Amino acid sequence: MKFNRRLSAFAAVTLVASLGLTACGSDSDGGGSDAGGDTGGSGGGDISVTFLPKNLGNPYFDTSDAGGKKAVEEFGGTFEEVGPDTATPDAQVPFINTAAQQGVSALVVSANDPEAICDALDEARSAGTKIVTFDSDTNPECRDLYINQATADGIAKAQIDLIADQIGDAGEIAILSASANATNQNAWIDLMEKELSANHPDIQLVDTVYGDDDDQTSFDKTAALLQAHPNLKGIISPTTVGIAAAARYLSASKYKGKVALTGLGTPNQMREYVKDGTVTAFALWNPGDLGYLAAYAAKALADGDITGAEGDSFEAGDLGTFEVDADATVLLGDPFVFDKSNIDDFDF
Ligand code: RAM
């Protein structure tokens, strides 16, 4: 449970400014990193925090990990970001093993699969490393804490409300997701399907395809979807990589303005498509806040201030005080909807 803020336009701009979150700031070179990669951020302090995103080269994780770096610098720890090039289930394992061998205080990871990295995480925990998942969880027993960007119900409902509004609450839609095993997208898709059958009887979900959080694959899957379903009215892409690639495809096609597109995107990647009329509205949270909160949670665990028990509370710098909910989960806030009236207020 969170006590003190939601993502309002004002707060987001203020926080973006205070975190220094311009488009993409991180230590990543965007092209993969060696498991023993460069140490970024300021040294000092005795807390070392390694961020391990689903893959490198995704502006969403550039922003979240820059938020984490900012937090680690604030508390005088050592920050590192490592990660694979592709978001495949076990690609993160060697990076987890290296972090454990290095004896880092905490590993902050967005999981490509709920189970595939659990053995490696167990070994790291046995070696004394605290495990914080953020963005995409593992099975709960594999980590100390999960930092959740918004409730899965809220994320699912926001996307269904958006597409229903954009297609007149009737017709065929499809989902363009990330990788097939992604814990976060799969939870959202499951809840979107339930929301459709409960409250939108005239919308038919005709296909769900996977772009693997890879730009070209997502682009190609969009083209294939449109070809396979000539009556498609809309696409939901609950991934920042997918929605940006789908928007690029639609904006240069005959489907522009005819097939609706919504989902989860970053304002900087989606701005041109909102302005050119390809996209009306989409949702997200502030990934910088998410990484910042995850880093402070990692510190609280490493310092022994919290164990992940329900009711534990900790300070997260500029974001204030947060409390641990059931299942060792901490909630950042609510999803936020971006459209042409507000998109220029954001820079991430
Ligand atoms: C992509 C990733 C990430 C997800 C966002 C919405 O960047 O799949 O896990 O949270 O989209």
Side-chain angles (χ1 to χ4, degrees):
M1 171 191 190
K2 121 185 222 312
F3 288 106
N4 72 338
R5 69 183 293 279
R6 354 173 350 120
L7 179 70
S8 67
F10 173 77
V13 168
T14 307
L15 189 77
V16 165
S18 75
L19 291 178
L21 295 180
T22 49
C24 343
S26 87
D27 284 353
S28 140
D29 61 8
S33 170
D34 188 56
D38 295 339
T39 297
S42 62
D46 50 9
I47 305 265
S48 48
V49 183
T50 296
F51 269 64
L52 176 54
K54 283 179 172 177
N55 58 342
L56 298 181
N58 175 351
Y60 173 91
F61 288 114
D62 289 344
T63 303
S64 65
D65 295 6
K69 182 180 179 197
K70 171 74 178 165
V72 173
E73 287 178 346
E74 279 176 10
F75 58 72
T78 305
F79 172 88
E80 186 171 17
E81 184 200 50
V82 296
D85 289 325
T86 55
T88 47
D90 53 9
Q92 293 169 310
V93 167
F95 298 93
I96 297 166
N97 293 341
T98 298
Q101 280 153 18
Q102 290 171 334
V104 300
S105 316
L107 185 63
V108 179
V109 55
S110 172
N112 282 313
D113 182 290
E115 181 61 40
I117 59 174
C118 281
D119 287 349
L121 291 179
D122 284 346
E123 278 187 39
R125 288 173 91 186
S126 306
T129 297
K130 299 295 181 192
I131 305 299
V132 176
T133 51
F134 80 123
D135 177 69
S136 182
D137 202 6
T138 54
N139 294 332
E141 62 274 14
C142 310
R143 43 71 173 168
D144 294 291
L145 211 55
Y146 170 52
I147 311 301
N148 192 8
Q149 47 271 55
T151 65
D153 269 325
I155 295 169
K157 186 160 186 320
Q159 294 176 88
I160 295 298
D161 286 352
L162 285 165
I163 201 74
D165 191 49
Q166 292 169 17
I167 65 169
D169 209 10
E172 295 184 1
I173 64 165
I175 293 176
L176 169 65
S177 190
S179 57
N181 291 0
T183 325
N184 52 348
Q185 272 88 13
N186 285 343
W188 304 332
I189 290 170
D190 186 47
L191 291 165
M192 286 196 280
E193 288 173 353
K194 292 193 167 97
E195 173 65 12
L196 282 176
S197 49
N199 294 316
H200 301 274
D202 296 330
I203 298 181
Q204 297 92 42
L205 175 61
V206 294
D207 214 344
T208 297
V209 298
Y210 300 91
D212 296 335
D213 268 351
D214 176 75
D215 177 71
Q216 189 61 46
T217 309
S218 304
F219 187 89
D220 295 345
K221 292 284 169 99
T222 305
L225 263 182
L226 290 159
Q227 192 141 37
H229 303 285
N231 295 321
L232 205 62
K233 297 278 282 302
I235 298 172
I236 299 176
S237 187
T239 146
T240 60
V241 178
I243 195 174
R248 193 170 82 254
Y249 182 85
L250 285 177
S251 74
S253 78
K254 64 181 180 187
Y255 306 103
K256 177 181 171 183
K258 298 199 174 79
V259 174
L261 171 66
T262 192
L264 305 174
T266 67
N268 285 354
Q269 286 181 287
M270 296 303 291
R271 184 170 291 107
E272 71 179 282
Y273 306 115
V274 169
K275 294 198 171 178
D276 79 3
T278 305
V279 169
T280 313
F282 63 96
L284 199 68
W285 44 90
N286 186 331
D289 289 2
L290 187 66
Y292 184 90
L293 175 58
Y296 269 99
K299 175 190 181 338
L301 283 167
D303 280 342
D305 294 342
I306 62 172
T307 61
E310 188 171 356
D312 274 355
S313 73
F314 62 99
E315 293 298 321
D318 295 340
L319 293 179
T321 305
F322 284 76
E323 191 170 296
V324 178
D325 295 329
D327 301 322
T329 295
V330 176
L331 181 64
L332 174 66
D334 298 316
F336 184 86
V337 174
F338 303 89
D339 59 22
K340 69 173 184 298
S341 74
N342 64 19
I343 196 159
D344 283 335
D345 296 336
F346 297 91
D347 187 12
F348 62 86

mmCIF file of all heavy atoms in Angstrom, residues 4 17 21 25 28 39 48 62 106 108 116 139 157 197 217 249 256 295 299 304 316 318 332 339 341 343 348:
data_model
loop_
_atom_site.group_PDB
_atom_site.id
_atom_site.type_symbol
_atom_site.label_atom_id
_atom_site.label_comp_id
_atom_site.label_asym_id
_atom_site.label_seq_id
_atom_site.Cartn_x
_atom_site.Cartn_y
_atom_site.Cartn_z
ATOM 1 N N ASN A 4 1.356 8.168 -0.421
ATOM 2 C CA ASN A 4 1.420 9.606 -0.645
ATOM 3 C C ASN A 4 1.390 10.166 -2.055
ATOM 4 O O ASN A 4 1.540 11.361 -2.206
ATOM 5 C CB ASN A 4 2.679 10.136 0.038
ATOM 6 C CG ASN A 4 3.895 9.709 -0.706
ATOM 7 O OD1 ASN A 4 3.835 8.734 -1.428
ATOM 8 N ND2 ASN A 4 4.978 10.427 -0.573
ATOM 9 N N ALA A 17 11.577 15.594 -13.649
ATOM 10 C CA ALA A 17 12.642 16.587 -13.549
ATOM 11 C C ALA A 17 13.582 16.229 -12.402
ATOM 12 O O ALA A 17 14.800 16.249 -12.547
ATOM 13 C CB ALA A 17 12.037 17.969 -13.338
ATOM 14 N N LEU A 21 15.005 12.255 -15.591
ATOM 15 C CA LEU A 21 14.610 11.242 -16.559
ATOM 16 C C LEU A 21 14.265 11.869 -17.889
ATOM 17 O O LEU A 21 13.113 12.090 -18.196
ATOM 18 C CB LEU A 21 13.417 10.447 -16.046
ATOM 19 C CG LEU A 21 13.679 9.616 -14.822
ATOM 20 C CD1 LEU A 21 12.420 8.891 -14.416
ATOM 21 C CD2 LEU A 21 14.780 8.625 -15.073
ATOM 22 N N GLY A 25 18.043 7.352 -20.063
ATOM 23 C CA GLY A 25 19.330 7.451 -19.383
ATOM 24 C C GLY A 25 19.599 6.172 -18.639
ATOM 25 O O GLY A 25 18.813 5.759 -17.825
ATOM 26 N N SER A 28 23.238 1.285 -19.733
ATOM 27 C CA SER A 28 23.203 0.272 -20.762
ATOM 28 C C SER A 28 23.719 0.828 -22.087
ATOM 29 O O SER A 28 23.473 1.968 -22.431
ATOM 30 C CB SER A 28 21.753 -0.192 -20.916
ATOM 31 O OG SER A 28 21.441 -0.384 -22.250
ATOM 32 N N THR A 39 30.480 -1.185 -14.004
ATOM 33 C CA THR A 39 29.796 -0.653 -12.843
ATOM 34 C C THR A 39 29.421 0.782 -13.147
ATOM 35 O O THR A 39 30.265 1.583 -13.499
ATOM 36 C CB THR A 39 30.704 -0.699 -11.619
ATOM 37 O OG1 THR A 39 30.991 -2.050 -11.354
ATOM 38 C CG2 THR A 39 30.028 -0.091 -10.415
ATOM 39 N N SER A 48 25.313 -2.717 -2.555
ATOM 40 C CA SER A 48 25.454 -2.814 -4.012
ATOM 41 C C SER A 48 24.169 -3.397 -4.586
ATOM 42 O O SER A 48 23.649 -4.394 -4.083
ATOM 43 C CB SER A 48 26.655 -3.691 -4.365
ATOM 44 O OG SER A 48 26.616 -4.886 -3.628
ATOM 45 N N ASP A 62 15.332 1.332 -19.774
ATOM 46 C CA ASP A 62 16.315 2.413 -19.628
ATOM 47 C C ASP A 62 15.808 3.400 -18.578
ATOM 48 O O ASP A 62 16.565 3.863 -17.716
ATOM 49 C CB ASP A 62 16.514 3.158 -20.954
ATOM 50 C CG ASP A 62 17.262 2.318 -21.994
ATOM 51 O OD1 ASP A 62 17.882 1.307 -21.624
ATOM 52 O OD2 ASP A 62 17.199 2.681 -23.187
ATOM 53 N N ALA A 106 21.856 -6.758 -3.301
ATOM 54 C CA ALA A 106 20.494 -6.992 -3.796
ATOM 55 C C ALA A 106 20.478 -7.022 -5.312
ATOM 56 O O ALA A 106 21.231 -6.309 -5.977
ATOM 57 C CB ALA A 106 19.545 -5.916 -3.296
ATOM 58 N N VAL A 108 17.716 -6.639 -8.478
ATOM 59 C CA VAL A 108 16.373 -6.142 -8.804
ATOM 60 C C VAL A 108 16.069 -6.616 -10.217
ATOM 61 O O VAL A 108 16.727 -6.191 -11.171
ATOM 62 C CB VAL A 108 16.327 -4.602 -8.711
ATOM 63 C CG1 VAL A 108 14.934 -4.091 -9.083
ATOM 64 C CG2 VAL A 108 16.701 -4.135 -7.300
ATOM 65 N N ALA A 116 11.573 -20.032 -14.595
ATOM 66 C CA ALA A 116 12.853 -20.428 -15.204
ATOM 67 C C ALA A 116 14.086 -19.900 -14.473
ATOM 68 O O ALA A 116 15.167 -20.489 -14.558
ATOM 69 C CB ALA A 116 12.892 -19.976 -16.670
ATOM 70 N N ASN A 139 7.501 -16.605 -9.414
ATOM 71 C CA ASN A 139 6.660 -17.202 -8.386
ATOM 72 C C ASN A 139 7.082 -16.574 -7.061
ATOM 73 O O ASN A 139 8.279 -16.342 -6.836
ATOM 74 C CB ASN A 139 6.856 -18.715 -8.342
ATOM 75 C CG ASN A 139 6.349 -19.383 -9.615
ATOM 76 O OD1 ASN A 139 5.446 -18.867 -10.264
ATOM 77 N ND2 ASN A 139 6.936 -20.518 -9.971
ATOM 78 N N LYS A 157 -8.227 -3.502 -16.758
ATOM 79 C CA LYS A 157 -9.468 -2.754 -16.989
ATOM 80 C C LYS A 157 -9.192 -1.463 -17.763
ATOM 81 O O LYS A 157 -9.965 -1.090 -18.655
ATOM 82 C CB LYS A 157 -10.155 -2.455 -15.654
ATOM 83 C CG LYS A 157 -11.510 -1.805 -15.842
ATOM 84 C CD LYS A 157 -12.384 -1.939 -14.614
ATOM 85 C CE LYS A 157 -13.801 -1.422 -14.869
ATOM 86 N NZ LYS A 157 -13.890 -0.205 -15.662
ATOM 87 N N SER A 197 -15.385 -10.847 -21.173
ATOM 88 C CA SER A 197 -16.573 -11.708 -21.124
ATOM 89 C C SER A 197 -17.575 -11.216 -20.091
ATOM 90 O O SER A 197 -18.786 -11.397 -20.278
ATOM 91 C CB SER A 197 -16.232 -13.187 -20.953
ATOM 92 O OG SER A 197 -15.347 -13.343 -19.918
ATOM 93 N N THR A 217 10.061 -8.128 -34.634
ATOM 94 C CA THR A 217 9.083 -9.224 -34.512
ATOM 95 C C THR A 217 7.689 -8.652 -34.267
ATOM 96 O O THR A 217 6.694 -9.097 -34.856
ATOM 97 C CB THR A 217 9.482 -10.168 -33.349
ATOM 98 O OG1 THR A 217 10.846 -10.543 -33.523
ATOM 99 C CG2 THR A 217 8.626 -11.410 -33.302
ATOM 100 N N TYR A 249 3.791 0.577 -37.732
ATOM 101 C CA TYR A 249 3.208 -0.123 -38.883
ATOM 102 C C TYR A 249 1.902 0.543 -39.331
ATOM 103 O O TYR A 249 1.719 0.874 -40.515
ATOM 104 C CB TYR A 249 2.954 -1.614 -38.550
ATOM 105 C CG TYR A 249 2.416 -2.331 -39.748
ATOM 106 C CD1 TYR A 249 3.276 -2.841 -40.707
ATOM 107 C CD2 TYR A 249 1.040 -2.434 -39.967
ATOM 108 C CE1 TYR A 249 2.784 -3.453 -41.853
ATOM 109 C CE2 TYR A 249 0.542 -3.028 -41.110
ATOM 110 C CZ TYR A 249 1.418 -3.538 -42.046
ATOM 111 O OH TYR A 249 0.931 -4.128 -43.175
ATOM 112 N N LYS A 256 -4.441 3.058 -40.895
ATOM 113 C CA LYS A 256 -4.295 4.205 -39.995
ATOM 114 C C LYS A 256 -5.645 4.902 -39.795
ATOM 115 O O LYS A 256 -6.325 5.254 -40.771
ATOM 116 C CB LYS A 256 -3.291 5.201 -40.582
ATOM 117 C CG LYS A 256 -3.131 6.453 -39.748
ATOM 118 C CD LYS A 256 -2.130 7.376 -40.418
ATOM 119 C CE LYS A 256 -2.102 8.717 -39.743
ATOM 120 N NZ LYS A 256 -1.196 9.641 -40.415
ATOM 121 N N ALA A 295 14.669 0.196 -5.929
ATOM 122 C CA ALA A 295 16.013 0.342 -5.355
ATOM 123 C C ALA A 295 15.936 0.644 -3.858
ATOM 124 O O ALA A 295 16.719 0.097 -3.064
ATOM 125 C CB ALA A 295 16.777 1.445 -6.084
ATOM 126 N N LYS A 299 17.349 -1.642 -0.695
ATOM 127 C CA LYS A 299 18.163 -1.124 0.408
ATOM 128 C C LYS A 299 17.545 -1.504 1.764
ATOM 129 O O LYS A 299 18.238 -1.946 2.679
ATOM 130 C CB LYS A 299 18.274 0.401 0.298
ATOM 131 C CG LYS A 299 18.996 1.069 1.469
ATOM 132 C CD LYS A 299 18.847 2.577 1.410
ATOM 133 C CE LYS A 299 19.535 3.369 2.495
ATOM 134 N NZ LYS A 299 19.873 2.731 3.724
ATOM 135 N N GLY A 304 18.229 -4.781 6.519
ATOM 136 C CA GLY A 304 17.501 -5.506 7.560
ATOM 137 C C GLY A 304 16.379 -4.682 8.179
ATOM 138 O O GLY A 304 15.813 -5.055 9.204
ATOM 139 N N ALA A 316 11.107 5.601 0.820
ATOM 140 C CA ALA A 316 11.583 5.539 -0.567
ATOM 141 C C ALA A 316 11.872 6.948 -1.078
ATOM 142 O O ALA A 316 11.256 7.404 -2.057
ATOM 143 C CB ALA A 316 10.568 4.813 -1.443
ATOM 144 N N ASP A 318 12.134 10.483 -2.401
ATOM 145 C CA ASP A 318 11.125 11.467 -2.820
ATOM 146 C C ASP A 318 9.713 10.904 -2.882
ATOM 147 O O ASP A 318 8.744 11.662 -2.886
ATOM 148 C CB ASP A 318 11.440 11.991 -4.236
ATOM 149 C CG ASP A 318 12.728 12.775 -4.285
ATOM 150 O OD1 ASP A 318 13.184 13.235 -3.216
ATOM 151 O OD2 ASP A 318 13.261 12.936 -5.402
ATOM 152 N N LEU A 332 3.089 0.454 -6.426
ATOM 153 C CA LEU A 332 3.492 1.834 -6.755
ATOM 154 C C LEU A 332 2.286 2.767 -6.825
ATOM 155 O O LEU A 332 2.282 3.834 -6.221
ATOM 156 C CB LEU A 332 4.247 1.853 -8.094
ATOM 157 C CG LEU A 332 4.605 3.240 -8.632
ATOM 158 C CD1 LEU A 332 5.624 3.938 -7.726
ATOM 159 C CD2 LEU A 332 5.153 3.147 -10.056
ATOM 160 N N ASP A 339 -3.101 10.982 -23.643
ATOM 161 C CA ASP A 339 -3.740 11.294 -24.923
ATOM 162 C C ASP A 339 -3.191 12.634 -25.411
ATOM 163 O O ASP A 339 -2.255 13.177 -24.821
ATOM 164 C CB ASP A 339 -5.276 11.298 -24.802
ATOM 165 C CG ASP A 339 -5.777 12.312 -23.789
ATOM 166 O OD1 ASP A 339 -5.045 13.279 -23.493
ATOM 167 O OD2 ASP A 339 -6.901 12.140 -23.280
ATOM 168 N N SER A 341 -4.161 15.521 -25.157
ATOM 169 C CA SER A 341 -4.307 16.668 -24.259
ATOM 170 C C SER A 341 -3.194 16.750 -23.220
ATOM 171 O O SER A 341 -2.946 17.796 -22.651
ATOM 172 C CB SER A 341 -5.662 16.615 -23.537
ATOM 173 O OG SER A 341 -5.632 15.614 -22.539
ATOM 174 N N ILE A 343 -0.005 14.518 -23.463
ATOM 175 C CA ILE A 343 1.230 13.779 -23.757
ATOM 176 C C ILE A 343 2.471 14.672 -23.741
ATOM 177 O O ILE A 343 3.568 14.228 -23.380
ATOM 178 C CB ILE A 343 1.091 12.963 -25.076
ATOM 179 C CG1 ILE A 343 2.211 11.925 -25.135
ATOM 180 C CG2 ILE A 343 1.073 13.876 -26.309
ATOM 181 C CD1 ILE A 343 1.924 10.776 -26.063
ATOM 182 N N PHE A 348 9.411 10.728 -20.834
ATOM 183 C CA PHE A 348 10.076 9.452 -20.553
ATOM 184 C C PHE A 348 9.584 8.407 -21.522
ATOM 185 O O PHE A 348 8.637 8.619 -22.229
ATOM 186 C CB PHE A 348 9.862 8.987 -19.097
ATOM 187 C CG PHE A 348 8.447 8.715 -18.698
ATOM 188 C CD1 PHE A 348 7.853 7.478 -18.934
ATOM 189 C CD2 PHE A 348 7.690 9.690 -18.065
ATOM 190 C CE1 PHE A 348 6.542 7.231 -18.540
ATOM 191 C CE2 PHE A 348 6.391 9.449 -17.665
ATOM 192 C CZ PHE A 348 5.811 8.233 -17.897
#
